[in-house]
Structure formats: structure tokens, C-alpha cells
Amino acid sequence: MQAWIEFGQGPLFRFAFVLMALGLARIFVLTLVNVAEAYRRNPDKIINYREVFNKTVAWFIPAGRLWRKRPVYSLVSFLFHAGLILVPLFLAAHVSLWRQSTGFGWFSLPQGLADALTLIALAGALILFLMRAFYAPARALSRRQDYAWPLLLAVPFLTGYLMVNVSVSASGYQWMMLLHLYSAALIMILIPFTKIAHCILAPLSQVVTAVSWKFPAGAGDRVLETLGLEDRPTWVDKPRLGIEREMTRELPEVKPAEKEAKAS
Amino acid sequence: MKAILTDTTLCIGCRDCVVACRKANALEPEVPRRWETRDGLSARNWTSIVERPGPVYVRKQCRHCLEPACASACPVGALRRTPEGAVVYDGSKCMGCRYCMMACPYGIPRYDWDLAVPYVRKCILCYDRLKEGKQPACTEICPTEATIFGDREALLQEARRRIRENPGRYADKIWGETEVGGTSVFYISDADLSFLTRGRELAQTPMPAHTASAMHAVPFAFFGMAATMAGISWIIGRRMDLQQKSPEDKKDDDHE
Amino acid sequence: MNRVRNFKLFLWALLGLGAAVGTARFMFGLGATTNLSDAVPWGLWIGFDVMSGVALAAGGFVLTATVYIFRLERFHGIVRAAVLTAFLGYVAVAVGLLFDLGLPWNIWHMIIFWNPHSPLFEVGWCVMLYLTVLLLEFFPVPAESFSGLAKVRNFLVKLRLPLVIAGISLSTLHQSSLGSLFLIMPYHVHPLWYSPILPVIFFLSAIALGLMMVTFEGLISSYLYRRAPETDILAKLGAAARWVLLLYLGVRFTDLAARGQLGHLADGGWQVTLFWMEIALSAAIPAALLFIPRVRHSLAGLWIVAPMAVTGIVFNRINVGGLVHQQRGETLYLPAWTEIAISAAVVAAAALAFLYFVEKFHVWERRPQDPEAAPAALPRFDVASFASLGSPLVRSRTLYSLAFVFAAAFGFSLLSGEALSSRGVDPAPVEEARGGDTLWIDGNLDGFGTAFAHRRHVERLGGDSTSCALCHHLNVPRDRQSGCYSCHRDMYSVSDAFGHDRHASPAGAALGCFDCHAPDAVKSAQSAKECADCHKDLIPAGAVIEVEDYQAAGYTEAMHQVCLGCHQQQAEAVEKPDLPRCGTCHREHKLLVDDPLLAQRYQRLESRGVIVPEVLEEHFQGIRLAALPQEPVTQIDEP
């Protein structure tokens, strides 16, 4: 048991961490290279970079269009991401491990705040999973890995919280440590090869769309406007899914005043 | 020209010299490492006491050769011999090729293997103290005066006197008097000290002389080769020109 | 199956592994990533990367001489590849050297700090200059593809003959000077290899190796790109190589005979076996085979001869470079896997660069077809399978970088903290007190120690657990700032002083988490209780040693401090003045020999207050180790 834990703390952790770091750097660079290549091939090189930039920034702030359309989802998602990013990076125990092994340490969260963020992340994972499972439009768009991810991400948070806050027997502690280490390693190994890669690709998402596919920013809205379908959501293909009735019930109404404000 | 005479028959193996050396040169304490050698010298031990059967205590340190192999080998001149006789090291010039360690016939220089910014380490005869007119820390501290500091000639005479006046006490040899051109650290002993050179007798030829002839040939080799090649090229070129003028004379000139 | 792609994948993986090891090399130093030591300062990186690398690149000057000086035009087809190999080979040598040098950022010092007596200085300069010459020689090839460079190209082509002559002269110098490097080690290099004409031997073997390497490289590239190999040209190279090899053999043995060292061949040591292996692989068998026309002209024959000769001569360089240095190492040097990984990565990088140039420019008469050239597939844009626009270049990029990333991560997982710290001592679990009856204290492992009556000392000092602390754990007494982990770095693994699991296990104290760790704090070393909070008697109030600093003393010093301090105090208490003297513990001490000269010195020293062991016959006569443990205590007991 101890040997397995040491393997998880040593070789496995180093493997997973380096694979994650280099793997993310790799897809980031590859994406940039591909964008450059697409740009070179594209005869139409006029791209509104200012709008692309604004859109990219807008997606990082939980106050945009999604906030108005699905406030619960937007808020939960934001808090979930906050916990997901802050706790592993700034947990005092993690920072002190880094300091012990490499000599470098950094700012760490107070334990109380870290615990709170952990609980928020856990709750967020659960809520996001349920929303995906029981909200039809989302379910229609989901692949299997989309259901698995919130659950997998919750494992190291749950075990970590239990290890710190609940007094358990020595062997129980070891089992949880094992689970904590191996689930975290699995996550790190999978990150650069799955959709979680958006953690580094997110800033590029709008550029990729704008350059590679030559969709001007806001093209979707303009198409809908042209078709006279402004009040329909752009992110789901209603007729194909055949769920128009459910959606009209669930979606908040878009008020004309807001629409005008956005158009201007 | 200064020197150190070590008389192993007087050494009681107290290692005060080792401690004094460490203090004088501000060396860090020794930790056991993979690369430690049995003679006890390391990057953090510039002198050591080797205990030989008998027991005989032999203090090992840089021999400060009169014509040092290390200084001759160093491509950037980081090692040099001062007029006082010390072979000193300038870490700011060193590029870490370790050719000095390969070249030393006594296997003295050590390396900071455990550091990301490593330097060559060896006894420098406490050169800073020497310049202040003081003697090295090791000879100063020695309680039995087994290792003493002075002018090379005077110490050689003292060594010869001890051997002459104490028949049977010493082997009739001063280790370091003439071998590899002479060293500034030499030994008299009742035991055989050839273990200092891995059991091999060193010739009197100074170490730099071994490479000198090859190095002297360098300019001749360079210009000789260049002239030969230019000559051959000219001759063959001319022959080919002639052949082109008289095509019936054509023949294959390469060897199979 | 795609040979080129698989080969490149393999090379990229090697590069990834090398990247991981290289990071460790520059972060933790040479000791962490090599098996080098003070006894073996040069290893694989010099023997293979530098010495063999330079020799392997000798094809460049041999073929430029053949084509541009001797005007043997039929070799023109391979001269570009040979120059490219030489250029990349020398770049690889320089890069390999950067890993080996302790202070690689000082490599330019060779330009400003001169020591013309040093063969290495000459080698360094020649390599620098020759690298420049090779760059100028090869530059016209890539310049063909850029019309803007036409002027430069024409100028360099006009300069070709002087460049070639300079290249040949420089190569002659440094190929031979690599041999001169070892002339200064007449007492190390085995007499079967050491010779005043080492420079000549190195030069000859470099020519042979150059020819064989060009052959080998032609074979490999024709295999990879499925080209028809230029068998007739390669046969001609072999025909030339056999004479060089024969000459080399002749020189080696004539030299041995002239120096009167032939007798060593009968010694029968492992060096002699090595010598025959080297001679057979490098020259004897290849030369013999090359004299058979059928071997020379057949692909299979060349596939046997060329790799064999290349291996053999590389073997020679490694032998001279350190393997046959007599008594250099008290322990056998074998390269660490990390050393091999770096060497392999440097070679892989050079090979990838070679393939790049070959595919991109007219190194060969016919540029090889890009094996990945396929009609562009439809673009895909999925994060899981990566943004792929369908072009073969992008696809191979995706694949190669994947190999690199996985290999680098794998490399990092193999670089363990313990290996990097290079500790000579394995951490031992301290679960039970390890006090024995009699300890043979001999930290230097040279047989000159003392038999320490451990149990007697324990009994004398009280006999309970408090007595341990009178000698052990004295350096950091009552220091609340630094916990046990500040010295025992690995105490939170199972090893060394603190066994975390043992404290939690029923066999130990069966403690729960919060018995030591505060419930509201992070479970780390800092937040845990100090050892002394439970182990009350770990550090006694009357600790003997005054703490000067917090750094551990050397072994000999530490032992002497611990014992002598106590013995000096006790000497007065029990009125036994001999107690602090050397002979009390070191019974076999040489000083016990009665010597008038020494006695005179001791008297003088004693008058200055230095304690000198008394000369006591019974202290060293007829004492056996087995009887020793009784002695010190008996002595103390007698007032």
C-alpha cells in the first residue's frame, strides 16, 4: 500500500504532470501553427481582430449573454471553475509539497477558504452533472465523456476534503490518499487529450473560428437576423432535435429592450 | 620558491591539517556521496590523511608540480603556476572540461559533481595566505611538525639531512624531488609511497613535454597539408586540362 | 508501413527523453545525471559524443578531398551528403559538449583566454574553424532554393577550392590532436593504446571511419527512402577503405613492436581481450572482407562491413577516451541511462536535421518523395483529435510532437529524487533502536577504526533510553524552529528516521491523524507535533556538545567530537588522565612505538598543553579485536 502511494507521489505524479504541461503546450502551439497555416491559405485575410478579442474576453466574464439566458448554469459553472482551478494550485498542503521538493513555493489559500471552495467545486460538479443528465437540450448534445468528467473531477476533491477534515483510521487515510493521487494523475494525463484542453485553448477559441473557418465574430446572430429568427437560441439546432416545445417552456424570454441594446 | 615537506614518520594522523584547511578555505562539511574516493580527497576536502598499513599516515594534497600537467592541459589557462610555487585556479576562466583532472599524474583535482555550477577544486597552497607572508593553514597547525613549509631548496636539504642522520629510519628517496620535473610538495617516509601514483614509477620527464612535440608539429602539419593539397589540386587540374586537349590520351586515373 | 515516418517517430521520442534528462542535467548538475566521478572525470559524453562524433564526421573532409582535390568526379553524387553529415556531426559534437562541460556558458572563453600548450585548446579552435568552413561549404546547397541568395552562393562556389583545402588541413589537425589529448596521460592509458604516435593513429583511423561512415549512411538512407543504393560508388569507397585499414593495422602493430609492448598481448588481462576485440572489429575483419570483391559489391556485404568498422573505430575512441585508463577508477564506470539518453538524443537531433535537409533541398541528385504526400484530407477541428487541416505536414507534426511529449513525460517519471540527490548512503529505516553490543567504528572503511564497546557505554551512562541521547541527536538541542525534518529530509517517506506509517500502524503507536496533526491545519510536516513532544527524552538537558553551527560535521570529526568531549570531562571525574588520549580508543596506534625523536617532540608538545598519548606497551601488544570491548570499560572502572 505504502509503495503504491509512493509510486503515485513520485513517478506517476511526475509523468502525469509533465505530460499535462507539455501536452497542453503542444496543443496550444499546434493550434497556433494551424491557425497560421489556415490564414496563409485563406484568400480573404480581412479579420476583425478587435471584435475577436472582445468576444474572447466576454466569454471569460460571467455577465454576458449566457448569464442572461441561463443564470443558474452560468453562476454554477463559474464557481465550479473557480474551485477547480484555485484549490489544486493554491492549497497550502500542495504549495508546501512543491516547496519541499523543488524549493519553490507561492501564495496559498487559507485552509477555511480552501475548504469552502472545495465544497463549492463538489456541489458544482454535482449540479452540472444533474443539469446535463436531466436537461434535454444539454443531454442531446452530450457525449459519454461529458457525463464522466464532472464525476471524475470530483474524486480528488472529495478525497482531499475527507483527508483534511474527517478523522479516519490510518488505513482509511491511506486508501483515500491512493484514490486522491491516482484520480488526480488520471485527470492530468487526460487533460491535454480531451475536452478539458479548453483550459488552455479557451483564449484561442474565437481566433480559431474567425481565422480557420472565416466566420466573422457574431456571424451566427447576423444569420439569424437575416432569417428573422432572432429570438431563437443559436446554440442548438431545434428542428433536428425535435424538442421545440420543451425549450420554449424552459428558456427565459428575451425582452425586446435587451435585444435592441445588444444590437446597438 | 616555496614548498611543503611532509615526513610521514612524524605524522600521528590527527587530521588537524584537514580541519585547518577546511576552515582556511571556507569549505563546506563533507557529506557521503556516490563519487567519493577512498583517499578522502573531494571538492570539500583539499587535503586528507591516508592511512596505510603500518600504520603510516600520509597526507595527500596537490603536489604543486614545477611543471604542472594541469596548467599545461587547461585550454583556457584557468590553472597556472605562480612564482611562489603554488598552482592556482581561476574559476572565472574555467569552462568545466575536466581535462586537468584527466591529465594530473597524481589524480588530485576534484569536481563539484553535486552542483549545477561546478568548479574544479584542489589545494592552492593557501595562496592568499602566502601573499600575506603567512604559511599554509595545514603546516601552521600541524602539532608534530610532520608537515612543514619553507623554501624548496632548504626543505630538500632538510629532507636529505634527516635521511642521512637517521640511517634506517627512512627509505632512501624523496618523493617529488625529481619525478615529472619535481614537485613543490614532497615526502620522506619509511614506507613505500608509490601508491600516490597508483603504484607506477613516474619518469623525470615533465608532463607538458609529452604533448609538446605534437603541439610543435601543429603549424607544420597545417601548412604542409594545405600546400600538399594545393599542389595536388594544381597538378591534377593541369593534367586534366592537357587530357581535354588530346582526348586520345585519356585514361582512368583512379585506382580500383 | 512507412519507414521514414516510423524512424522519425522513434527519433522524436529519443529527443523527448533527452529533453527530460537534459533539464535534470542543468538543474541538478553532472553528478545527478551521470556516473562520472573524481576517479572517472570523462565518460560517454566525451568518448562517444565528442571523440567518436568528430571521427564519424571525417567523411566530409575525405570526400571533399576525393572530389575537389583528386577530381574523382564519380563520387560527386555523394559529396553533398557527406559534407552535410560532417556539418551536422560537428554541430552535434558541440551540442554534446555543452552537456558535458561543467560550465557550458563559458565555452567561448576558448576564444579569448589562450593556452597554446594545450592540445584541447587546439582541438577547440580547429573544430570552431572547421565548423565555419563546413557551413560555408554546405551553404550553397540550401541557397539554391532562394533566388535572393544567388550572389552569396556564386561567391562561395568560387571560394570552394580554398575552403576545401582549409577544411582538409583543419581536419588533419584536430582529428590527430584528439589523439594528442591523451599524450599527457602516459601513466593512465594502457600501454597497448598509449603511443607517442597516437595523433597519427587517430588520423588514419579517422580517414577509414569517414569512408565507412559515408557508406553506412548511404545504406541507411537508401533503405529509409527505398532508393536504389549507389552500390558501385560504395564499392569504390570500400576499396579505398581496405588500404587505409591495412595501413592502420600495420602502423598499430609496428608501433607496438617498436615500443617493445608486444609482450603485453600475452598478459591476458581484460584489456588485452578488449584490444583484440577492437582490432578485429575496427580493422582486421572489415579489411579482410573488403578484399573480397563479392563482399564489396554486394549490398549485404556492405551492410555487414560498414556497421562493423564504424562500431570498431568508435570502440577505439571510447577505449582511449577512458575505458582502458589503468586504475583510473576504483570502481568500474558504466554510463548511466541518463548519459545514454542524452547521447542518443543528440544523435537523434542530428539525424532529424539530416532528414529535413535531404527532403527539403537537393542534397542528393533526386530529392526523395515525401512519403506522407497524400491528397489533402478534409479538415477536422476537434480538440480530442486536434485541429488538423488535413495536410500531411500537419499530421506528422501532430504525431511527432505526441511522441516527444510522451517520451519527455516518461523520462521525467524515471528521474527520481533519490537518484538526483546522489547520496552515497541508503536511507535506513529506524524502527527499532539499532544499538549493538560492540560497534566497529570505521567511517573511512579503511580498517583503521576502533572497536567501540557500545553496550558498556550505554550501561555506564545510565542504561535506559535517556543514555542514547547523550551521544545521539546532539546537534540541534531544543531547537524549536527546525523540526526533525529539517535534517532528515526524507522522514515522511517510510525511510530514515521517521516512519509515518509505523506511527499510524498497530505495530507502532496506532496514532490517528489528529494525534499529531492539528485538525484545522494542513497535514504537513510543519503542522505536526515535534518528535520531542512525545519522545520526551530525545534530547537531554545535559547534552555534552556545544553547538557551533547547524551543519553536520564530517564523520571523523563528529566521532572525535562526541567521544573526546565526554572523555575529557570523565578523565578528571574518574582521575584517569589517559582517557582522552588517542591510544585509549585506537589501540593499534602507531605512536605507541617507542621512538626517541618522537618522544622528544611529544615532550615539547605536552609542555604546550597538547595531549599526547602515552606510550604503553600493553595497549598494542597481543590485543585481539574480540577482546577489545572489555578493555575501555575495565579501564574506566579502575579509579
Side-chain angles (χ1 to χ4, degrees):
Chain A
M1 172 64 92
Q2 186 64 28
W4 284 104
I5 287 180
E6 278 180 25
F7 178 73
Q9 288 168 331
L12 182 63
F13 174 78
R14 284 194 299 271
F15 178 80
F17 183 78
V18 173
L19 190 65
M20 177 182 74
L22 288 180
L24 287 177
R26 163 176 174 266
I27 51 167
F28 191 80
V29 172
L30 276 180
T31 308
L32 282 182
V33 169
N34 288 343
V35 164
E37 196 151 308
Y39 182 83
R40 191 174 53 79
R41 291 169 164 210
N42 198 332
D44 178 6
K45 297 201 193 305
I46 302 163
I47 289 154
N48 188 349
Y49 286 109
R50 180 185 292 269
E51 202 174 343
V52 167
F53 178 78
N54 288 343
K55 283 217 117 187
T56 309
V57 172
W59 275 106
F60 280 97
I61 301 165
R65 194 172 53 171
L66 193 62
W67 172 252
R68 286 192 297 275
K69 285 184 178 168
R70 298 181 64 192
V72 177
Y73 173 79
S74 188
L75 182 71
V76 169
S77 169
F78 180 73
L79 290 175
F80 174 67
H81 278 87
L84 213 55
I85 293 166
L86 292 177
V87 175
L89 280 180
F90 298 110
L91 185 74
H94 288 181
V95 174
S96 80
L97 281 174
W98 279 108
R99 193 175 282 126
Q100 271 177 26
S101 57
T102 64
F104 297 107
W106 47 84
F107 155 80
S108 64
L109 296 171
Q111 190 60 31
L113 180 58
D115 282 344
L117 279 171
T118 308
L119 290 178
I120 287 172
L122 280 171
L126 187 67
I127 294 170
L128 289 178
F129 175 77
L130 293 177
M131 281 176 98
R132 196 177 276 285
F134 294 105
Y135 180 50
R139 197 167 66 221
L141 286 171
S142 297
R143 295 160 295 178
R144 258 179 226 158
Q145 59 156 303
D146 297 323
Y147 296 106
W149 268 112
L151 300 181
L152 178 58
L153 286 171
V155 175
F157 283 83
L158 186 65
T159 50
Y161 184 82
L162 289 179
M163 279 193 292
V164 173
N165 292 292
V166 181
S167 183
V168 289
S169 68
S171 73
Y173 181 86
Q174 286 189 328
W175 273 109
M176 275 193 287
M177 177 57 91
L178 199 69
L179 207 54
H180 185 73
L181 290 168
Y182 281 68
S183 59
L186 181 64
I187 290 169
M188 285 195 283
I189 290 171
L190 289 178
I191 280 176
F193 307 107
T194 54
K195 66 167 192 169
I196 309 298
H198 73 263
C199 65
I200 194 143
L201 292 181
L204 295 181
S205 60
Q206 301 300 313
V207 188
V208 167
T209 319
V211 175
S212 300
W213 302 96
K214 201 66 182 70
F215 286 157
D221 288 342
R222 268 174 246 157
V223 169
L224 285 175
E225 276 166 30
T226 316
L227 296 173
L229 300 170
E230 295 98 316
D231 54 342
R232 299 194 181 179
T234 56
W235 40 270
V236 59
D237 182 1
K238 285 186 296 179
R240 184 169 66 82
L241 299 171
I243 47 170
E244 200 163 356
R245 198 173 47 81
E246 286 172 41
M247 280 179 58
T248 41
R249 196 184 64 227
E250 295 234 357
L251 285 174
E253 282 181 22
V254 182
K255 289 180 183 125
E258 271 181 28
K259 222 184 341 179
E260 279 168 24
K262 203 184 69 189
S264 66
Chain B
M1 198 163 56
K2 300 297 182 185
I4 286 179
L5 167 64
T6 297
D7 182 343
T8 68
T9 65
L10 295 179
C11 181
I12 58 170
C14 70
R15 292 178 174 82
D16 271 0
C17 48
V18 180
V19 178
C21 172
R22 197 177 287 165
K23 279 188 181 144
N25 294 295
L27 303 178
E28 296 207 339
E30 178 82 321
V31 271
R33 293 291 196 172
R34 172 180 60 70
W35 46 81
E36 71 184 358
T37 45
R38 285 197 54 183
D39 63 13
L41 285 185
S42 75
R44 289 150 184 195
N45 260 352
W46 293 357
T47 182
S48 69
I49 299 288
V50 182
E51 298 183 11
R52 299 287 297 171
V56 176
Y57 298 95
V58 185
R59 184 161 83 90
K60 216 175 161 181
Q61 67 178 115
C62 173
R63 300 292 289 268
H64 298 279
C65 305
L66 301 192
E67 294 187 51
C70 53
S72 143
C74 181
V76 291
L79 288 151
R80 76 189 162 89
R81 187 174 171 279
T82 67
E84 292 88 343
V87 178
V88 295
Y89 170 71
D90 180 358
S92 66
K93 283 185 178 176
C94 181
M95 57 181 207
C97 69
R98 310 189 292 289
Y99 189 29
C100 49
M101 304 175 69
M102 294 295 286
C104 178
Y106 298 102
I108 295 294
R110 300 295 142 127
Y111 210 56
D112 285 329
W113 296 106
D114 50 341
L115 301 183
V117 183
Y119 292 99
V120 173
R121 303 286 186 181
K122 71 171 197 69
C123 161
I124 52 168
L125 211 62
C126 286
Y127 187 57
D128 288 339
R129 293 170 59 99
L130 232 60
K131 280 191 293 190
E132 292 168 16
K134 289 194 276 187
Q135 58 170 312
C138 51
T139 54
E140 190 181 70
I141 199 109
C142 183
T144 61
E145 293 174 22
T147 181
I148 52 176
F149 178 78
D151 273 321
R152 188 167 189 270
E153 276 315 308
L155 285 184
L156 274 175
Q157 276 172 18
E158 166 71 9
R160 286 193 204 105
R161 188 188 61 79
R162 286 190 198 178
I163 294 174
R164 194 172 57 241
E165 289 179 5
N166 298 283
R169 186 184 165 97
Y170 296 100
D172 187 19
K173 180 174 166 80
I174 302 173
W175 279 270
E177 184 182 11
T178 54
E179 64 217 48
V180 295
T183 64
S184 293
V185 172
F186 42 86
Y187 298 85
I188 50 176
S189 176
D190 51 350
D192 182 18
L193 298 189
S194 61
F195 76 93
L196 288 173
T197 53
R198 305 178 174 82
R200 293 194 63 158
E201 279 299 310
L202 300 193
Q204 299 202 0
T205 326
M207 298 305 284
H210 290 287
T211 47
S213 56
M215 294 307 293
H216 286 151
V218 162
F220 302 104
F222 182 83
F223 290 111
M225 187 51 107
T228 315
M229 284 298 139
I232 292 175
S233 171
W234 184 79
I235 292 168
I236 292 180
R238 181 152 175 80
R239 249 174 68 190
M240 287 173 78
D241 285 350
L242 290 174
Q243 274 172 14
Q244 272 180 349
K245 281 170 195 160
S246 52
E248 73 278 7
D249 202 28
K250 195 168 186 164
K251 67 172 200 290
D252 204 353
D253 61 351
D254 52 17
H255 40 79
E256 155 58 323
Chain C
M1 196 189 103
N2 187 326
R3 286 173 185 172
V4 179
R5 200 196 60 195
N6 290 349
F7 187 57
K8 281 187 183 172
L9 261 183
F10 175 66
L11 294 177
W12 275 103
L14 285 181
L15 218 53
L17 203 61
V21 176
T23 312
R25 148 75 187 90
F26 286 110
M27 277 177 73
F28 302 104
L30 286 165
T33 40
T34 67
N35 275 349
L36 299 177
S37 65
D38 288 324
V40 189
W42 281 4
L44 184 74
W45 290 347
I46 293 290
F48 179 75
D49 293 28
V50 176
M51 303 225 331
S52 307
V54 167
L56 286 169
F61 89 91
V62 175
L63 272 181
T64 50
T66 315
V67 173
Y68 297 116
I69 303 289
F70 295 98
R71 314 274 172 101
L72 302 184
E73 291 293 333
R74 68 173 61 139
F75 294 104
H76 203 275
I78 53 171
V79 73
R80 283 181 164 195
V83 171
L84 175 60
T85 318
F87 174 64
L88 293 173
Y90 276 88
V91 172
V93 166
V95 172
L97 193 62
L98 290 182
F99 282 96
D100 183 77
L101 289 182
L103 308 163
W105 44 90
N106 284 349
I107 191 169
W108 57 275
H109 280 183
M110 199 125 64
I111 302 172
I112 55 165
F113 300 121
W114 285 29
N115 179 15
H117 301 293
S118 168
L120 193 57
F121 170 78
E122 192 236 302
V123 171
W125 264 94
C126 281
V127 169
M128 271 191 287
L129 293 175
Y130 187 46
L131 200 53
T132 318
V133 167
L134 280 171
L135 182 65
L136 297 177
E137 276 181 358
F138 182 68
F139 190 74
V141 175
E144 282 170 357
S145 308
F146 303 97
S147 53
L149 294 172
K151 267 188 184 166
V152 185
R153 187 183 128 74
N154 289 339
F155 177 68
L156 285 177
V157 170
K158 271 183 208 149
L159 260 184
R160 181 173 284 149
L161 193 64
L163 280 178
V164 165
I165 292 177
I168 295 167
S169 304
L170 288 169
S171 295
T172 313
L173 285 196
H174 71 256
Q175 293 287 1
S176 55
S177 292
L178 276 177
S180 314
L181 281 187
F182 297 89
L183 288 181
I184 206 163
M185 308 166 201
Y187 306 112
H188 293 132
V189 184
H190 191 278
L192 282 176
W193 281 270
Y194 184 84
S195 157
I197 59 158
L198 259 180
V200 178
I201 292 172
F202 264 52
F203 181 62
L204 277 180
S205 52
I207 294 177
L209 182 56
L211 292 169
M212 285 289 96
M213 191 57 200
V214 170
T215 312
F216 188 38
E217 177 202 301
L219 292 172
I220 294 178
S221 49
S222 62
Y223 167 80
L224 281 180
Y225 290 104
R226 299 171 195 272
R227 301 184 312 146
E230 307 97 334
T231 324
D232 52 332
I233 294 184
L234 299 184
K236 290 236 165 14
L237 288 178
R242 64 188 167 161
W243 292 112
V244 183
L245 286 173
L246 209 61
L247 181 62
Y248 168 73
L249 271 181
V251 169
R252 273 304 283 277
F253 281 97
T254 316
D255 166 62
L256 278 178
R259 285 185 295 116
Q261 303 288 358
L262 278 174
H264 276 289
L265 292 177
D267 283 356
W270 57 273
Q271 287 103 335
V272 178
T273 320
L274 225 55
F275 176 82
W276 284 119
M277 271 169 63
E278 182 204 307
I279 288 290
L281 283 178
S282 66
I285 301 178
L289 285 175
L290 284 174
F291 269 99
I292 307 168
R294 258 184 54 204
V295 174
R296 213 159 61 222
H297 288 277
S298 82
L299 213 52
L302 289 174
W303 265 111
I304 293 170
V305 173
M308 185 192 293
V310 167
T311 317
I313 298 173
V314 166
F315 194 30
N316 167 264
R317 296 301 193 266
I318 292 174
N319 280 343
V320 178
L323 203 55
V324 296
H325 287 211
Q326 286 179 317
Q327 295 161 28
R328 170 82 72 193
E330 289 144 344
T331 50
L332 179 68
Y333 162 80
L334 282 176
W337 75 266
T338 39
E339 284 174 84
I340 298 169
I342 290 286
S343 294
V346 171
V347 174
L352 281 171
F354 182 82
L355 297 180
Y356 170 82
F357 278 110
V358 157
E359 284 168 15
K360 198 92 176 169
F361 304 106
H362 285 275
V363 175
W364 292 324
E365 316 254 300
R366 251 173 0 110
R367 235 197 309 167
Q369 282 291 309
D370 189 340
E372 296 262 313
L378 282 177
R380 288 184 305 173
F381 238 97
D382 181 22
V383 204
S385 52
F386 308 112
S388 164
L389 295 175
S391 97
L393 193 63
V394 173
R395 253 189 294 138
S396 43
R397 232 185 247 145
T398 310
L399 206 58
Y400 298 152
S401 58
L402 192 67
F404 179 88
V405 165
F406 261 97
F410 181 65
F412 270 107
S413 76
L414 290 180
L415 290 162
S416 72
E418 292 88 62
L420 292 179
S421 73
S422 306
R423 289 284 166 83
V425 196
D426 293 328
V430 186
E431 296 187 341
E432 306 290 347
R434 283 179 298 170
D437 180 47
T438 305
L439 307 177
W440 178 242
I441 300 178
D442 178 16
N444 305 323
L445 296 175
D446 53 6
F448 293 95
T450 180
F452 176 68
H454 184 252
R455 179 138 314 155
R456 290 300 190 95
H457 276 80
V458 173
E459 282 163 12
R460 240 196 114 67
L461 295 170
D464 58 356
S465 61
T466 54
S467 55
C468 304
L470 287 171
C471 295
H472 299 285
H473 281 170
L474 297 170
N475 262 7
V476 197
R478 297 260 171 236
D479 183 356
R480 303 292 308 192
Q481 292 305 308
S482 50
C484 304
Y485 55 86
S486 61
C487 295
H488 298 281
R489 289 285 166 74
D490 51 351
M491 64 182 285
Y492 290 96
S493 64
V494 271
S495 55
D496 210 40
F498 178 76
H500 182 269
D501 287 9
R502 189 169 174 82
H503 281 73
S505 73
L511 300 173
C513 303
F514 299 124
D515 287 334
C516 301
H517 299 278
D520 53 343
V522 188
K523 288 196 190 68
S524 69
Q526 284 88 345
S527 74
K529 279 183 183 176
E530 287 299 328
C531 302
D533 288 350
C534 301
H535 302 272
K536 297 284 185 203
D537 45 10
L538 195 65
I539 300 153
V544 181
I545 302 296
E546 290 289 320
V547 179
E548 284 179 11
D549 54 39
Y550 294 124
Q551 281 170 331
Y555 188 87
T556 315
E557 280 168 68
M559 295 316 286
H560 279 107
Q561 271 183 27
V562 168
C563 300
L564 271 176
C566 197
H567 274 210
Q568 269 162 3
Q569 286 184 347
Q570 290 295 312
E572 290 170 21
V574 300
E575 292 176 2
K576 192 71 187 163
D578 284 346
L579 213 49
R581 294 183 175 171
C582 311
T584 305
C585 302
H586 300 285
R587 305 328 242 8
E588 71 286 54
H589 208 285
K590 185 190 177 186
L591 293 175
L592 308 175
V593 179
D594 202 356
D595 182 313
L597 188 73
L598 278 179
Q600 200 186 346
R601 285 191 184 281
Y602 296 154
Q603 276 167 15
R604 214 170 71 218
L605 285 168
E606 272 198 310
S607 69
R608 285 193 291 177
V610 178
I611 298 170
V612 170
E614 226 165 85
V615 181
L616 297 172
E617 280 288 306
E618 67 267 27
H619 273 192
F620 69 102
Q621 272 186 356
I623 292 174
R624 298 265 178 278
L625 281 186
L628 266 174
Q630 315 297 333
E631 292 298 325
V633 181
T634 336
Q635 200 184 349
I636 292 169
D637 288 343
E638 290 165 6

